[in-house]
Structure formats: C-alpha cells, structure tokens
Amino acid sequence: MSVASLRRAAKESVSGLPRAFWWLWVSTLVNRLGAFVATYMALYLTLERGYSASYAGLVAALHGLGGVVSSLGAGVMADRLGRRPTLLLAQTSTALSVALLGFMEHPAAIAAVACLVGMTSNASRPAVQAMMADIVRPEDRLRAFSLNYWAINLGFAISSAAAGLIAEYSYLAGFVGEAVLTLVCAVLVFVKLPESRPERSAAAAKSEPGIGLGTVLRDGRFMGVVGLSFLISLIFMQGSVGLPVAMGLSGWSPSDYGFVIAANGVLIVALQIPVTRFIEHRDPQRLLVISALLAGYGFGLTAFAGSIGVYVLTVCVWTLAEIVNSPTQMGLVVRFSPLHGRGRYQGVYTMSWSAAALIAPLMAGYVIDRYGAEWLWGSCAAIGTVAALGYWLLMRGLPETAPEAAPDPAQVPAQAAEAETSAVPAASEAAPAAPATSASAPAPAPAPAQG
C-alpha cells in the first residue's frame, strides 16, 4: 500500500467525528495510561503481600462486585442527571479510592477498598458509552467505538510495560500514579465535554412511556446480548486475573507478564482500525460467532504455553477476537437502546462486564488452586463454544440494520447539538489523536475495554 493510500485511509478513519468525541477519546487515553490496579492487583497480592491465589481472586471478585452495584445506579444517573456530572463524580471518586488502596495493609481493609475502587471506576462506563451514542451519527458509531477501544488499548499497551517496571520498584508508586492520571481525566471531563443527554419535550413526555430498569430487564433479546457479553467477558477477564497468577506460579516475573500482556494492547493499536474497516459492512452474526470461538480457543491454547513466545502467540489469537467482538457488540447494544433510555441500557450492559469481573477471579483462583491452570484454559474453550452458539441463535432473523429515531433538535441541549454538527479538526489537527497506523476501545469494555 502506498503512502498516499495510508494517508487517505487514516483521514477517512478520523474525519467527520464531533469535537466532543475527541475530548472523550483523550480522557479515555489518559485514564488507561494509569491502569495499574486492574492489571497488577493479582501480582501485588500474591508476590508483594504473599497472599494465596484464592485471596487474590476474592479481592478481585470484590472489585467486580463493586462494579455490579454501581453499574445500574450509574446508568440511571446518566439518564437523570446527565452524562457529564456522572463522569465527573465517578472519575474523581476513582482517583481518591485508588490512592487510598495503595496505603491499605490489613487484608480486610484491602478487600473493602478494592470493592470501593470497583464501584467508582465502573460508574463512568455507562455515561461514556451513552455520550458516545449521543454525539456520534449512527453511520459513524462502529468507527467511533473502534477508535475509543483503540485509545483504551494504546494506554493499556504503554501502561502494561511501564507498570511492570514500576511494580519492581514500588507498587505504591503505581497506585498513586493511577490516581493522579484519573484525576486529570476528571478535569478534562469538567472543562471540555458538553452535556449530551437528549431532553424530552413536554409533549413527548406525555405521549411516550417512561423507561425504567424494568423496561430494560423485560427486553428479552437485549438481555440475551447481556448474557452473552457476560460469557465473553468471563473469558477475556482471564487475561488480567488467571494469566498473571498462572504465570507467577510457573516462575515468571511481573515484567515477563507485562511483556506478554502488552502484546494485547500493541496488536489492538496496530490492527483495530484496519480490521474495523474490513468488517464494517459484514454480517455481525458471523463476526460475533467467530470472535467467540477465537476468544475461547485462544485462551485454551495457553494450556500448552511453556515459553514467553508461546504465551505471546496465545495472546495474539484472543486479541483478534477482542478486535472483532468489541465494536460489533457495542453497535448491537446501541441498536437495542431507545434514545431516552441509553444510560439505563448501557448500565445493564456494563453490569455484564462487572459481573464477569466478580466471577472470573473466583473461577480462576478456585480452578488453579484445586485443579491446575490447564483446567482453567480448557474451561475458557468450552465457554467460548457456548457463547458462539448463543450468538448464532440470538441473531437469527435480526434485520441487518435497525431504524433509529432521530431526536428532535429542540429536545437536545444546545451544547450537544453544537457538538453533534461540528466537524473534527482538519486531518493535521486530528492526526495526533489517531495516528495513521493505529487501530481502534470495550468495551468494553468492557473496558474496558477493558476496559
């Protein structure tokens, strides 16, 4: 491919998105640059503190429990109070709780504060995802989700390598560094992001039924997506909970794990945008089925890893699944989410990742302690097969595209309307945010991504 073709592809990948999206993108990147706790908590507890894999799994599960508790409430807040105040409150609280966690020494205190960190850090996800759906045109959303996922993993790739070195010097420095960067995100949200929540007119409020959490939970097909997201998340979470513990027990160092898991972020940075351009108009049912199989069997191959090179190879397999699954599934979630209920729908979807973050560490700790890591990786292959079958069944008969009701401009806050129509700066101005060789965030999470 010529240089001119690469430039044209890069320009097409970043052009036409509103300025507010790019500030949201920057806040995501900065936040993920400090993702120390989620990546190194298991190693911190087992190697630095000397606790068992089961205790490390329990603490990680409490972190996930906090996310389960906050996801639904944060989704309601995003719809009622707005996306911007929800983000500001969540990120400020995350910064304070992460810093506090670094100073905890008693096992019960570590567990309690880890739960608090999970609660605060997951509270921002429904608002981020709802805001992205608000400000980006439907035809650009897959690209926007991919770019956001790209930001998550660019930050993750850098922070994973750096955090491995930081962990060998001082785990406390990692906690404090994450707190500072998260606080920077909170300031960016407050200063640069306009509110995007669509407002109902008085006539619409009378004619349209209200959307509550019960509405979401009764939406059978959407809850099917949530259930399958939980299974996929259960697999992907093993990259941050099962893999570091298994590698540590096999004699590998934190920097070895950092090198291996950094391959995940590097691959996503390199491939997300090209792969997204390739899959953008392809059958989402087939994409989700294939990604579920790649995820399950990618982790399954870890049972045969005996060297750093083989570990990296397995990461490459399940990373390809992430690259395909994340934007495709996020687009599916937005299709099922009504305009004035996006926060609640995104909150329930985020809960699937939080629930996986609760179950995955317990699953990893129990299986590794009782049966060995090989059984954990075999379980991942089985779960991936079940998820692939579920996606195939769920999406039979689903129309390729779904009509979306556009909001009445009079119902949208002035700032959000301005963000919706503003073009991204010229390619030269946007280039620092999305390099030509990048690929797109989760996930979340995800994130996810995530995170």
Side-chain angles (χ1 to χ4, degrees), residues 47-122:
L47 299 184
E48 178 76 3
R49 295 288 184 175
Y51 295 119
S52 68
S54 295
Y55 175 76
L58 173 63
V59 172
L62 289 173
H63 183 279
L65 177 62
V68 172
V69 172
S70 67
S71 295
L72 298 180
V76 174
M77 285 177 60
D79 279 342
R80 288 188 175 180
L81 301 181
R83 306 355 178 178
R84 187 169 175 257
T86 302
L87 280 171
L88 182 62
L89 178 61
Q91 292 179 339
T92 303
S93 302
T94 300
L96 296 175
S97 59
V98 165
L100 180 63
L101 180 60
F103 292 95
M104 295 295 100
E105 296 189 2
H106 192 278
I110 292 174
V113 178
C115 183
L116 179 62
V117 171
M119 186 178 300
T120 57
S121 61
N122 280 279

Side-chain angles (χ1 to χ4, degrees), residues 38-420:
T39 305
Y40 281 90
M41 193 63 182
L43 289 175
Y44 169 68
L45 294 174
T46 55
L47 299 184
E48 178 76 3
R49 295 288 184 175
Y51 295 119
S52 68
S54 295
Y55 175 76
L58 173 63
V59 172
L62 289 173
H63 183 279
L65 177 62
V68 172
V69 172
S70 67
S71 295
L72 298 180
V76 174
M77 285 177 60
D79 279 342
R80 288 188 175 180
L81 301 181
R83 306 355 178 178
R84 187 169 175 257
T86 302
L87 280 171
L88 182 62
L89 178 61
Q91 292 179 339
T92 303
S93 302
T94 300
L96 296 175
S97 59
V98 165
L100 180 63
L101 180 60
F103 292 95
M104 295 295 100
E105 296 189 2
H106 192 278
I110 292 174
V113 178
C115 183
L116 179 62
V117 171
M119 186 178 300
T120 57
S121 61
N122 280 279
S124 63
R125 293 182 180 181
V128 169
Q129 293 162 355
M131 178 176 277
M132 211 171 298
D134 294 338
I135 65 179
V136 176
R137 296 176 301 178
E139 59 269 28
D140 293 330
R141 283 183 187 146
L142 181 64
R143 185 160 51 97
F145 292 141
S146 291
L147 285 166
N148 194 60
Y149 198 58
W150 184 87
I152 288 175
N153 285 279
L154 175 62
F156 178 74
I158 296 171
S159 67
S160 293
L165 300 175
I166 293 172
E168 296 193 355
Y169 167 72
S170 168
Y171 279 95
L172 178 59
F175 288 108
V176 174
E178 177 169 348
V180 170
L181 287 174
T182 305
L183 196 58
V184 170
C185 286
V187 173
L188 279 175
V189 166
F190 181 77
V191 174
K192 293 295 185 179
L193 286 178
E195 180 54 60
S196 67
R197 178 187 60 171
E199 298 289 350
R200 287 189 179 190
S201 64
K206 291 181 180 180
S207 62
E208 297 176 5
I211 298 173
L213 284 176
T215 309
V216 185
L217 297 176
R218 290 190 297 270
D219 189 335
R221 183 163 254 170
F222 175 77
M223 291 307 296
V225 174
V226 171
L228 293 171
S229 172
F230 168 76
L231 294 180
I232 290 294
S233 305
L234 200 61
I235 298 173
F236 286 136
M237 290 288 176
Q238 299 308 327
S240 59
V241 293
L243 185 59
V245 172
M247 289 187 68
L249 293 176
S250 297
W252 301 103
S253 70
S255 58
D256 290 330
Y257 168 70
F259 177 80
V260 168
I261 200 63
N264 171 254
V266 169
L267 267 177
I268 292 175
V269 168
L271 298 180
Q272 185 73 59
I273 290 178
V275 171
T276 298
R277 289 171 63 85
F278 177 74
I279 68 174
E280 194 167 3
H281 302 294
R282 298 183 184 273
D283 179 12
Q285 180 191 51
R286 183 175 301 175
L287 294 175
L288 291 170
V289 168
I290 291 173
S291 66
L293 293 173
L294 286 174
Y297 288 95
F299 274 97
L301 288 173
T302 311
F304 304 99
S307 67
I308 292 295
V310 178
Y311 276 116
V312 170
L313 178 62
T314 64
V315 170
C316 292
V317 175
W318 57 260
T319 295
L320 183 58
E322 261 194 284
I323 291 172
V324 173
N325 181 273
S326 180
T328 307
Q329 186 162 255
M330 279 301 305
L332 193 63
V333 169
V334 173
R335 283 176 60 183
F336 289 148
S337 305
L339 179 65
H340 297 290
R342 280 176 179 156
R344 290 174 173 85
Y345 270 72
Q346 293 290 353
V348 173
Y349 172 68
T350 299
M351 187 181 66
S352 68
W353 284 85
S354 301
L358 168 63
I359 301 299
L362 296 176
M363 169 184 165
Y366 179 83
V367 174
I368 289 174
D369 281 347
R370 291 292 185 92
Y371 305 106
E374 292 79 8
W375 281 88
L376 176 64
W377 309 131
S379 299
C380 289
I383 294 171
T385 303
V386 171
L389 178 61
Y391 279 124
W392 180 76
L393 293 172
L394 177 75
M395 299 187 66
R396 286 190 307 172
L398 185 68
E400 186 175 345
T401 58
E404 173 162 338
D408 183 345
Q411 299 173 17
V412 182
Q415 286 181 315
E418 180 182 351
E420 185 82 34

